[in-house]
């Protein structure tokens, strides 16, 4: 009879736990991501070390460092887990039937408004999948945070991830009638500089740049924002209160424009649209739940209210000088 408890434990689970410890940076972070306790993670690590007969991690009160054996084990464990996932799909004949948990990071405003309906469609199509939907406007550290993919609005700058362009979000200038009543009529793009401004500091802070939609002209001017925030909803609310003019994603103010609570200023002048990407880390194998999510996002994103297909731009804008 085998009396070694380590040999009775699921080896794949032990390797998955070890990989999660390494990639998250600590036992407590691994426990949080897996959804278990730190003592359980510690016991699994000890079991793996006992099974292999080597020390994988050197731990002190404040630090954790892989041993040489731990480095080799991590590299092999990562490959084994990828092959295991592929084999599970093949043998179970579910390679195209998503299963498991998909962990997605999405922007706060867009993720709790425009993307809930497509997410509901995804979950309805694939009943064996559950989704962890985390709202955060910053791109994640995919490995350390255990995130499978991210919806990202704005430029994709990390060459270490796959970036699939899904659609674009038009951006327009709006203001409340109460604000417009206090200033001269807006007839030319230069007239916009007279207003107090609100800044969405994720995308613009001290300068506004607008492009003419029917030409290659650009106009830019400096602003000293009365309110600067990283929240699109806060900018919208401040604009409704008449605190200043704002440059916002068109989808967030559609109802306000229809109801007359906000007015679009000079529709022929707009900010460059923001690209919407699906980001995910490079890997040799992607589970069906991620592949199907990408397929759905590519299909539905350009048709969402307030988005559009990406435009092709072959030449730079000519600049028109502006003043604050």
């Amino acid at each position: 009879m085998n009396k070694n408890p380590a040999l009775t434990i699921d080896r794949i689970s032990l390797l998955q736990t070890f990989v999660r410890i390494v990639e998250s940076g600590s036992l407590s972070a691994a426990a949080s991501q897996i959804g278990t306790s730190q003592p359980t993670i510690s016991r699994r690590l000890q079991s793996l070390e006992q099974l292999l007969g080597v020390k994988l991690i050197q731990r002190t009160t404040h630090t954790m460092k892989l041993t040489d054996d731990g480095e080799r084990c991590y590299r092999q464990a990562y490959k084994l887990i990828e092959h295991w996932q592929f084999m599970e799909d093949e043998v179970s004949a579910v390679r195209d039937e998503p299963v498991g948990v998909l962990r997605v990071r999405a922007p706060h405003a867009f993720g709790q408004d425009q993307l809930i309906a497509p997410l509901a469609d995804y979950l309805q199509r694939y009943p064996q999948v559950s989704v962890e939907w985390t709202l955060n406007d910053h791109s994640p550290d995919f490995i350390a945070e255990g995130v499978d993919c991210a919806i990202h609005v704005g430029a994709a700058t990390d060459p270490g991830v796959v970036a699939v362009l899904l659609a674009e979000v038009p951006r327009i200038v709006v203001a409340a009638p109460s604000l417009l009543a206090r200033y001269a009529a807006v007839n030319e793009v230069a007239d916009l500089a007279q207003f107090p401004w609100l800044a969405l500091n994720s995308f613009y802070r001290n300068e506004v740049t607008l492009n003419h939609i029917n030409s290659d002209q650009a106009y830019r001017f400096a602003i000293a924002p009365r309110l600067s925030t990283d929240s699109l909803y806060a900018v919208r609310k401040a604009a409704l209160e008449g605190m200043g003019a704002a440059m916002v994603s068109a989808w967030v103010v559609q109802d306000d424009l229809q109801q007359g609570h906000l007015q679009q200023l000079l529709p022929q002048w707009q900010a460059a649209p923001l690209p919407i990407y699906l980001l995910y880390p490079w890997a040799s194998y992607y589970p069906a739940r991620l592949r199907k999510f990408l397929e759905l996002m590519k299909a539905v994103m350009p048709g969402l209210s307030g988005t559009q297909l990406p435009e092709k731009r072959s030449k730079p804008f000519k600049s028109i000088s502006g003043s604050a």
Side-chain angles (χ1 to χ4, degrees):
M1 182 177 179
N2 183 8
K3 296 182 179 180
N4 186 345
L7 298 180
T8 66
I9 298 175
D10 181 352
R11 289 169 169 80
I12 294 296
S13 294
L14 295 181
L15 291 175
Q16 289 172 330
T17 298
F18 176 61
V19 168
R20 182 55 54 208
I21 293 170
V22 175
E23 293 179 345
S24 65
S26 71
L27 271 66
S28 59
S32 176
Q33 291 179 12
I34 294 174
T36 188
S37 66
Q38 184 171 335
T40 298
I41 296 296
S42 181
R43 285 194 297 271
R44 291 179 185 176
L45 175 61
Q46 292 171 7
S47 295
L48 182 61
E49 290 177 330
Q50 183 181 358
L51 180 64
L52 297 175
V54 295
K55 190 71 173 176
L56 299 174
I57 294 177
Q58 295 287 356
R59 285 184 291 162
T60 66
T61 305
H62 302 292
T63 63
M64 185 188 82
K65 182 180 179 181
L66 283 176
T67 64
D68 290 342
D69 289 324
E71 290 278 4
R72 287 190 290 271
C73 181
Y74 169 71
R75 290 194 296 269
Q76 294 301 321
Y78 190 90
K79 294 177 183 178
L80 280 170
I81 290 169
E82 279 195 338
H83 288 305
W84 177 263
Q85 290 174 336
F86 182 82
M87 185 271 290
E88 275 188 322
D89 284 355
E90 288 288 342
V91 172
S92 303
V94 294
R95 189 163 185 225
D96 290 318
E97 182 60 31
V99 297
V101 179
L102 182 70
R103 297 172 176 87
V104 185
R105 176 77 61 82
H108 268 110
F110 206 61
Q112 63 184 298
D113 196 306
Q114 297 293 84
L115 294 179
I116 295 301
L119 179 61
D121 186 18
Y122 174 79
L123 290 172
Q124 185 174 7
R125 291 188 190 187
Y126 308 114
Q128 297 185 71
V129 176
S130 59
V131 174
E132 291 184 7
W133 190 251
T134 303
L135 300 180
N136 191 309
D137 291 325
H138 302 288
S139 296
D141 184 336
F142 289 95
I143 302 302
E145 298 177 37
V147 176
D148 295 308
C149 63
I151 304 294
H152 178 79
V153 178
T157 58
D158 185 356
V161 301
V162 181
V164 180
L165 182 60
L166 302 174
E168 289 182 337
V169 178
R171 290 189 295 164
I172 61 177
V173 177
V174 298
S178 59
L179 177 73
L180 299 176
R182 304 198 302 266
Y183 291 86
V186 177
N187 298 311
E188 303 291 339
V189 65
D191 297 335
L192 296 174
Q194 68 180 311
F195 296 117
W197 273 80
L198 311 170
L200 182 61
N201 55 35
S202 305
F203 301 109
Y204 70 100
R205 294 172 181 265
N206 302 310
E207 184 179 81
V208 169
T209 301
L210 300 173
N211 307 316
H212 196 280
I213 61 175
N214 294 321
S215 72
D216 57 357
Q217 294 181 333
Y219 184 83
R220 60 180 57 88
F221 56 94
I223 61 172
R226 297 299 309 280
L227 173 69
S228 180
T229 176
D230 63 352
S231 169
L232 181 58
Y233 283 142
V235 169
R236 169 185 170 269
K237 183 64 174 177
L240 287 167
E241 295 293 330
M243 294 172 59
M247 190 163 64
V248 297
S249 299
W251 67 265
V252 81
V253 294
Q254 282 186 333
D255 290 343
D256 303 315
L257 295 173
Q258 291 174 359
Q259 297 167 11
H261 300 317
L262 289 174
Q263 293 182 22
Q264 182 178 358
L265 306 183
L266 301 179
Q268 67 273 29
W269 288 93
Q270 299 183 11
L274 294 175
I276 307 172
Y277 289 96
L278 183 71
L279 308 179
Y280 52 92
W282 292 96
S284 59
Y285 170 70
Y286 298 107
R289 58 184 175 273
L290 177 57
R291 290 186 279 111
K292 294 298 184 181
F293 185 75
L294 172 58
E295 289 176 11
L296 180 65
M297 288 296 105
K298 290 173 68 174
V300 305
M301 190 69 73
L304 293 180
S305 177
T307 65
Q308 62 189 25
L309 287 169
E311 297 178 0
K312 293 182 179 180
R313 301 176 185 84
S314 59
K315 54 184 178 180
F317 289 104
K318 291 191 296 186
S319 176
I320 303 175
S321 61
S323 59

